[in-house]
Amino acid sequence: MSASHHLSWLEASVVGLTQGVSELFPVSSLGHSVLIPAAIGGSWARDLNVSAKESPYLAFIVGLHVATAAALLLFFWRDWVRIVGGLITSIRHRRIRTADERLAWLLILATIPVGIAGLVLEHAFRTVLAKPNPTALFLMLNGLILFAAERFRRRTQPPDPAAPPHQDGGQHRDGAAAVAEDVRVDTRLARLPIRRAVLIGSAQIAALAPGISRSGITMATGLSRGLDHDDAARFSFLLATPVILAAGVLKLPDLSGPLGNGIRGQVVLGSVLSFIGAYLSVRFLSRYFRTNSLRPFGWYCLAAGAVALVLVNR
């Protein structure tokens, strides 16, 4: 069977858009990439199998990460210019003095554990766990984690009625007020203790299990370690960018080889839709988490996981 039979234009469109959206929402993009084909059944379940050996579908969905990372880089480009500039300054002058310098090193240190774990464990996690039933159960577990994080935060950090509200910089990110608010948030994040930042970053290892959301688990860990929703979401998005980009870049050679034969057009289409979905998602979520919680996503994960269990075992 030729590689072109593994990915139709409709499949590429649905998976590409879904991946771009669900990568940043706390609902697990890999979980959806496993469960949607299994729930539809037929050729979708047969062709779109992440756990299959030498799966062109896996190369496709991981390759989409490049588009997702590009959307994050575009949305946060001013922030990454500051952070990378801080890293360069820190290395040049052998110092860690400014907030940007410290935040750059915190992001590097917090990314190392998941980078190592991904290289060592990704294959084992995918082949053993990337099947519909375990994925649906992990998605439901992801929902429970989101609820637990909200409950823990409410018990340990009751809201302060005297605290000033966050400025809404998400809607008009070109404004000076939005840029100033981003700098204030990054300054707060730069004050995180190294151990706490590494713990939050290390939580991404759990997202190797399909159904566990990378952004969800990092936000939940951040909330449990004293961050508010806005800061936890921003730190999660900053942490995700290098991890998502690296995962996609590592899979690009697969798509340029035999696994990509006959599906490169579909890869381009899926990537464009993934980019659009990711950009709109991070734009929405950057506003949403200024005043809202993880609970709606917890309910979604519980419901989606339960429905998926019924559909894949019908």
Side-chain angles (χ1 to χ4, degrees):
M1 181 181 293
S2 66
S4 61
H5 293 159
H6 287 283
L7 191 66
S8 70
W9 292 98
L10 177 60
E11 291 166 347
S13 300
V14 171
V15 173
L17 185 58
T18 302
Q19 195 280 330
V21 172
S22 58
E23 181 68 50
L24 302 178
F25 277 75
V27 297
S28 178
S29 62
L30 183 54
H32 281 70
S33 297
V34 172
L35 292 175
I36 288 176
I40 294 174
S43 61
W44 286 64
R46 182 178 63 253
D47 296 339
L48 307 185
N49 185 353
V50 172
S51 62
K53 184 178 180 181
E54 295 299 315
S55 169
Y57 179 51
L58 175 67
F60 168 69
I61 61 174
V62 179
L64 294 178
H65 284 55
V66 175
T68 304
L72 284 170
L73 288 171
L74 176 62
F75 190 79
F76 292 113
W77 71 269
R78 291 185 182 87
D79 311 295
W80 280 112
V81 167
R82 284 192 294 101
I83 293 168
V84 173
L87 177 63
I88 294 172
T89 302
S90 176
I91 294 173
R92 179 185 302 159
H93 299 291
R94 299 181 181 180
R95 72 182 191 197
I96 303 178
R97 185 178 304 167
T98 69
D100 291 334
E101 290 170 352
R102 193 168 195 279
L103 181 58
W105 285 110
L106 285 180
L107 291 171
I108 290 173
L109 293 174
T111 302
I112 290 174
V114 68
I116 295 173
L119 292 174
V120 174
L121 299 175
E122 183 274 334
H123 178 76
F125 271 62
R126 175 174 59 85
T127 54
V128 175
L129 298 177
K131 296 177 173 60
N133 284 326
T135 299
L137 292 173
F138 276 121
L139 184 60
M140 297 175 73
L141 174 61
N142 186 74
L144 295 176
I145 291 171
L146 301 184
F147 281 122
E150 290 292 347
R151 184 175 180 83
F152 180 85
R153 179 179 182 273
R154 215 166 44 241
R155 290 174 60 184
T156 58
Q157 294 179 293
D160 182 3
H166 285 288
Q167 297 182 30
D168 185 7
Q171 188 170 4
H172 303 288
R173 289 189 60 85
D174 291 333
V179 174
E181 174 66 8
D182 290 343
V183 172
R184 282 193 290 271
V185 174
D186 286 352
T187 300
R188 289 197 299 270
L189 292 176
R191 291 196 289 264
L192 279 172
I194 293 176
R195 184 176 300 178
R196 189 179 306 175
V198 172
L199 175 64
I200 296 172
S202 299
Q204 296 177 97
I205 296 172
L208 292 173
I212 302 297
S213 164
R214 185 193 316 279
S215 61
I217 197 69
T218 52
M219 280 196 65
T221 306
L223 290 176
S224 71
R225 306 287 34 171
L227 299 183
D228 65 14
H229 290 94
D230 192 18
D231 291 7
R234 184 172 178 82
F235 197 46
S236 172
F237 294 147
L238 291 176
L239 281 170
T241 304
V243 175
I244 295 172
L245 181 61
V249 169
L250 287 174
K251 281 296 179 181
L252 284 182
D254 290 346
L255 292 173
S256 65
L259 288 181
N261 290 342
I263 64 169
R264 293 191 180 95
Q266 291 91 319
V267 170
V268 172
L269 173 62
S271 297
V272 170
L273 292 175
S274 181
F275 176 89
I276 295 172
Y279 186 85
L280 294 177
S281 294
V282 70
R283 184 179 177 86
F284 168 77
L285 291 172
S286 293
R287 297 195 303 268
Y288 174 88
F289 283 121
R290 294 183 186 277
T291 55
N292 296 283
S293 77
L294 291 167
R295 283 187 291 274
F297 305 108
W299 286 117
Y300 170 82
C301 291
L302 289 176
V307 170
L309 279 176
V310 173
L311 291 178
V312 301
N313 292 289
R314 65 188 184 275

